[in-house]
Amino acid sequence: MSNGFWLSFGAMAAILWATFGRLALPDRLRGWVAVQAAVTLALAPALFLLFQQVSLVSPFANAIAIPLVSWLVTPLALLGVIVPPLWHAAAWLMAGLGKGLVWASTLPWAVAAQPAPEGWAVLLAVAGTVWLLLPRGFPLRVLGGLLWLPLVFPVRASVAPDTFQAEIIDVGQGTAILIRTAQHALLYDTGAAFADSDTGERIIVPYLRAAGVVGLSGVIVSHDDSDHSGGLQSLLRDVPTDWLLHGLSAANPLLMNAPAPRRCVRGQRWQWEGVRFEILNPPVAAYAESTRRDNDFSCVLKISRGGHSLLITGDAERRGELELLESGADVAATVLVAGHHGSRTSSLAEFVDQVRPRYGVFTVGYRNRFGHPHPQVTVRFREQGARILRSDTGGLIRLTFGEAGVVASEYRPSHRRYWHDMPLPHE
């Protein structure tokens, strides 16, 4: 089940297939080039399937790194047992190699990226690779390249004009919501940070690549809690982004090198392909209040098309929700992403009554230590007749807002595997 297993054994299979049983052996240089080409070609379908990208610079990097390490670094390191200064030479060569590889990885053509391919397209490409690597003289070898076409030119699902799609990404105890219109993509929050990594690097960026999202029109970071802002740096490093709206303090280090950062302010509006976006909170004066809780700086976003809308309140608590009600803003929404992951400090009864959601979405981690969502909160949603959607049991939640209203789906129930345990029913 390990990716490394399939890549290692796949590489060996490609080498054997491209070299075994040949009548004449090529010279060393030509044979080495042929093996590198065979491995690169053979592993590309698996790399697109597993990681949605293939390194184009790796054959050139290998051409330098393999001889350098084999013929210089390793002998110098071994001789360093006798002559210790040689260790410094080996270390100097490795440091130079590392800098060169980092530089090569930043070249604009270094990586080819594709959306996650269909299984049948991968199988066709593998068959095409076997055909292309047949011995010289085998008729019509070049036709094997035709079997690569579905992988290289995939059919991408698109969002129709005047509609939008919201995907609540399962990032555990945190929030990350991708909103897509026909020509734009917006990410609301970036999940949590960990000791050695973050959700942006581990989950969000791979998901965006798999979904074919090559760039973001904008990112909104609701406030500075780690489970909402933790993946921002990795996201901005790996995904081109036009601008950032945020509820962070002016001195927050996350804003360093951020693209066109601006604070969320009530009244900000824009429109993409017939879909309306509006920031409902916080008010301008909120940023001057030293006693205001971080959660109540949350950017509240409402997205609407036709008579249906999505309301996202971040971690806004009692004060933030009461401000929304007192502001006179239209908070009625078809879908409400419950504030603060369903904590009892949010989703006040009077607020849920005003929103009147048909769907209540809870972004929560499996068996999270906070006990989210609180039973009282889920009862408030059910009293409104809302259908409850939870990321801990449903996985990715996809909401499509179109002519037919709102269509909701959950990944895990529709992609259940035999080794998955059935989730326990919730009260």
Side-chain angles (χ1 to χ4, degrees):
M1 300 302 292
S2 167
N3 295 340
F5 173 89
W6 290 98
L7 295 175
S8 297
F9 280 79
M12 288 305 303
I15 292 171
L16 290 173
W17 182 252
T19 60
F20 185 74
R22 271 31 179 193
L23 294 177
L25 295 177
D27 59 76
R28 287 189 177 184
L29 178 61
R30 194 171 158 194
W32 185 86
V33 171
V35 166
Q36 285 293 314
V39 170
T40 301
L41 185 67
L43 294 188
L47 291 170
F48 278 130
L49 178 66
L50 298 172
F51 308 112
Q52 294 79 57
Q53 58 182 355
V54 170
S55 173
L56 301 180
V57 79
S58 62
F60 305 100
N62 287 339
I64 297 172
I66 292 174
L68 182 65
V69 173
S70 301
W71 299 341
L72 290 177
V73 175
T74 301
L76 286 173
L78 293 173
L79 290 172
V81 176
I82 303 172
V83 185
L86 294 179
W87 281 333
H88 296 287
W92 179 80
L93 288 172
M94 280 301 296
L97 177 62
K99 291 179 180 178
L101 295 177
V102 170
W103 171 81
S105 70
T106 62
L107 295 172
W109 51 270
V111 174
Q114 289 276 26
E118 299 288 342
W120 61 269
V122 173
L123 292 177
L124 281 179
V126 171
T129 300
V130 172
W131 196 343
L132 287 168
L133 296 180
L134 286 169
R136 183 184 302 175
F138 199 92
L140 302 177
R141 281 196 310 162
V142 70
L143 293 182
L146 296 178
L147 299 180
W148 272 73
L149 293 180
L151 182 69
V152 177
F153 302 103
V155 178
R156 302 188 181 187
S158 59
V159 180
D162 199 36
T163 66
F164 74 95
Q165 188 174 83
E167 292 160 297
I168 292 85
I169 304 171
D170 180 14
V171 293
Q173 186 67 17
T175 300
I177 304 173
L178 176 65
I179 299 104
R180 288 192 278 183
T181 64
Q183 299 178 19
H184 295 82
L186 170 72
L187 184 70
Y188 183 99
D189 280 342
T190 60
F194 312 112
D196 59 345
S197 184
D198 58 64
T199 301
E201 183 177 50
R202 291 186 179 184
I203 300 175
I204 299 174
V205 171
Y207 179 76
L208 295 179
R209 286 174 178 159
V213 178
V214 297
L216 293 168
S217 301
V219 171
I220 296 177
V221 173
S222 61
H223 63 299
D224 65 0
D225 280 2
S226 174
D227 58 335
H228 294 256
S229 62
L232 179 62
Q233 288 185 323
S234 294
L235 177 80
L236 296 180
R237 180 194 65 204
D238 296 337
V239 181
T241 303
D242 292 343
W243 49 258
L244 171 69
L245 274 180
H246 63 88
L248 308 174
S249 65
N252 195 301
L254 292 174
L255 298 179
M256 293 180 61
N257 302 319
R262 292 178 297 160
R263 278 176 165 167
C264 295
V265 175
R266 180 187 295 168
Q268 292 168 327
R269 297 181 179 87
W270 67 95
Q271 189 165 325
W272 288 335
E273 295 84 55
V275 179
R276 301 186 303 279
F277 295 77
E278 183 178 9
I279 300 295
L280 302 184
N281 223 34
V284 177
Y287 293 102
E289 299 175 12
S290 59
T291 59
R292 191 180 185 93
R293 292 172 58 87
D294 284 346
N295 286 346
D296 288 320
F297 283 105
S298 291
C299 304
V300 177
L301 175 66
K302 185 175 182 180
I303 311 162
S304 309
R305 64 86 47 210
H308 302 281
S309 57
L310 168 67
L311 182 62
I312 310 171
T313 62
D315 273 357
E317 298 183 330
R318 177 182 179 85
R319 179 176 181 177
E321 292 182 350
L322 291 178
E323 278 181 345
L324 281 170
L325 297 179
E326 293 167 0
S327 70
D330 180 14
V331 297
T334 316
V335 181
L336 172 61
V337 180
H340 204 187
H341 317 285
S343 166
R344 62 180 178 180
T345 61
S346 302
S347 301
L348 304 178
E350 54 265 47
F351 182 74
V352 177
D353 287 344
Q354 287 293 318
V355 177
R356 301 187 303 279
R358 285 176 46 199
Y359 295 91
V361 177
F362 295 89
T363 58
V364 290
Y366 180 65
R367 291 186 175 181
N368 65 87
R369 63 189 177 92
F370 307 101
H372 294 160
H374 195 279
Q376 292 178 358
V377 174
T378 57
V379 167
R380 291 169 193 165
F381 279 84
R382 288 198 172 98
E383 287 175 347
Q384 292 292 328
R387 176 185 169 188
I388 302 297
L389 302 171
R390 299 174 48 146
S391 60
D392 59 343
T393 55
L396 175 81
I397 299 168
R398 179 174 287 114
L399 302 162
T400 304
F401 294 72
E403 294 294 336
V406 180
V407 179
S409 65
E410 298 173 288
Y411 181 85
R412 287 181 189 158
S414 60
H415 293 76
R416 185 165 298 283
R417 302 293 186 263
Y418 69 88
W419 59 82
H420 290 171
D421 291 330
M422 291 294 292
L424 295 175
H426 294 279
E427 294 295 325

